[in-house]
Structure formats: C-alpha cells, structure tokens
Amino acid sequence: LIFIASLLLGTTITISSHHWVMAWTGLEINTLAILPLISKSHHPRAVEAATKYFLTQAAASALVLFSSMTNAWQTGQWDITQLTHPTSCLILTSALAIKLGLVPFHFWFPEVLQGSPLTTGLLLSTIMKLPPIALLYMTSPSLNPTLLTTLAILSTALGGWMGLNQTQIRKILAFSSISHLGWMAIIIAYNPKLTLLNFYLYAMMTTTVFLTLNTTKTLKLSTLMTAWAKTPPLNAMLLLTLLSLAGLPPLTGFLPKWLIIQELTKQDMTPAATLISLLSLLSLFFYLRLAYCTTITLPPHTTNHMKQWRTGKPANITIAILTTMSVMLLPLSPMIPTLI
C-alpha cells in the first residue's frame, strides 16, 4: 500500500510541478517506489530486472537534472515551460526517451518487464510512463521535431520487428508498448493533446490485457493456447482487445492512429505518416499471432496439451468495463476534435 501510494504521489508531484527540481523529485519517488514491487518475488530474474531498472532510471534522472541546470545556467529560468536552450532540449528529449524506453534506449524495458510479475508489469507499462509524457507535453513547443520523428519511426520499426519472434507474452507486450510510444512521440511536437489521448487509450487497452492475463495466469504463448478452457468468454474478449491494441478500424485502438495520421498529413508529413502506418503492420502481425493462440485454434503440436480446468470465479467488473471500453469507444471520435 505504501509503495502504491508513493507511486501515485510521485506521479502527481511530477505532473503538477512547475519547477524542474520538483519534477525530478517526483520521478525519483516513482523509481524508488516501483523497485520493491519489481523485486518482490526474490527470484534472481526479478532482482536482475530491478537492478537494470534502477541503473537506467538513475542515468535518465541525472540527465533530466543536467538538462534543467544547463537551461537555468543559460536563461536563468527554472520553470518547466520555459525550456528554450536547444542543447538542454536535446538532452531532455534523450533523458525522457531513456525513461520511456524509446529506441535506441529501449533495451532495458523488455528485460525488466519479463522479470517482474504481471501486476507490476502493468504499472511499469502505464503509470510509470505518465510522468515523462507529462514532461514532454509541458515542454512540447520547444522540442526538436526532427529528433522526435526519428526516434518515433525507429521505435515503431524496432518495436514491431523485435516482437515478431518472441514467445513470452510480457516481452511481446513490452515491444508493443515501444511501438505505441513511437506513435505518441511522432505527434507531440505538433499536437500534444493527441499524444495524451493516445496514451490514455493505450493505457486502458494494456490494462485490460494485463488484467485478463493475470486472471487466467498466463505468461507464455504455450500456456495461452490452453487458457481458453478456463474462461472462454474472457478469452474471446481478449481477442478483440488485442486487435484493438493493433489498431484495427471498428475498435477503439484505431481512433488515436486515425487522428495522428490526419494531423501528420495536415503538417505536410505524409511520408512519415505512410512510413509509420506501414511499420505498425509489423506489430499487427504479432498481435494477430497472440489473437490466434488465444481463441481461434491450436497450432498442430506433437506434444499433448493438458486442458486446464474451468475456474468457477468469473472475471471481475473492472475487466468487464475496461474490455467494453477497449472495444467500443470508436463512435466517440467525432466528439474528440471538439474537445481538442
């Protein structure tokens, strides 16, 4: 409870701060609060994940502090929105890219997610991404669009590419997170509100997937193949949520992609929009493989699989609400431009 409260506190401090040192304090509180949650199981894998996480986040925090100090040295401003010095902008972008796990600083994220339990993995993929994205949102007018577009296209490419040959579901979800972050990074310099919208919808769909997997206690593709016997309705809905994460049209996940492509075309960035759309087909492939293993059929195997017992307890109301929202929010799209 203390750690979860500290997580929420750190996130809130970072989001609501105006001074760089306060934002940095919030990021540190966040990092220190999630470490015990990662290494809770005392498995060597978990301890290794916690160590990797700590080292990367410490380096990123130092860079955040360094960039804000450089900016204060040059301009005399400690206000977050007044980040005007180009060098400190570049340093800050790379620091937040390390914090988020954008390519080329993505190596720690799949490893850490693989070493932590599913609920901690859920926190790492959603809540822990919010403070860096909030900082990017606040500094978005002064960020370098070329750097962000490069990072974004690389993230979408590698996130889709490296997820293709994975069998561990947590690693697949980590690479899916990297490719989604690419979509968020490409638009932040032009329309930061779309980044936030994309983040909220991504967090909602990822939460649904993690909670569903936590209910069926599934960690690998091979156990996912037999998990349909446990809770068939839940698995059928997991299929739709995965396709929604992939961004297929009648589902929620298509909404941010559609708006982002529209905005990029308005900004005369049609080649970038085309490229990032084509690269998201890579991640569609592994979502389809997950969906295939979830519900459609069992691939032919020489080994006999034991069917799992159907568990009596139904899925809880949270998963039901989240799944419905992950699948059915697309009709809201005409309302969103009016809000933005």
Side-chain angles (χ1 to χ4, degrees), residues 145-227:
T146 322
L147 175 67
L148 282 169
T149 310
T150 316
L151 288 179
I153 287 176
L154 283 173
S155 298
T156 321
L158 281 173
W161 210 1
M162 294 170 75
L164 292 180
N165 59 350
Q166 301 293 338
T167 55
Q168 296 284 344
I169 295 177
R170 282 170 294 185
K171 275 199 173 165
I172 293 182
L173 286 170
F175 287 118
S176 101
S177 173
I178 291 168
S179 89
H180 273 275
L181 282 168
W183 280 89
M184 292 175 217
I186 199 166
I187 199 67
I188 192 140
Y190 305 104
N191 193 341
K193 288 202 172 83
L194 277 184
T195 300
L196 285 187
L197 171 77
N198 193 346
F199 176 73
Y200 295 145
L201 292 179
Y202 157 75
M204 185 179 71
M205 294 183 286
T206 309
T207 309
T208 315
V209 173
F210 269 107
L211 290 177
T212 307
L213 294 173
N214 196 33
T215 308
T216 55
K217 297 283 178 283
T218 314
L219 293 175
K220 296 196 293 292
L221 282 179
S222 53
T223 46
L224 188 64
M225 288 172 199
T226 54

Side-chain angles (χ1 to χ4, degrees), residues 9-35:
L9 172 75
T11 309
T12 316
I13 287 176
T14 306
I15 292 171
S16 56
S17 59
H18 290 286
H19 196 286
W20 272 115
V21 175
M22 282 304 286
W24 174 80
T25 313
L27 289 171
E28 285 300 298
I29 292 174
N30 252 1
T31 305
L32 294 176
I34 196 94
L35 282 173

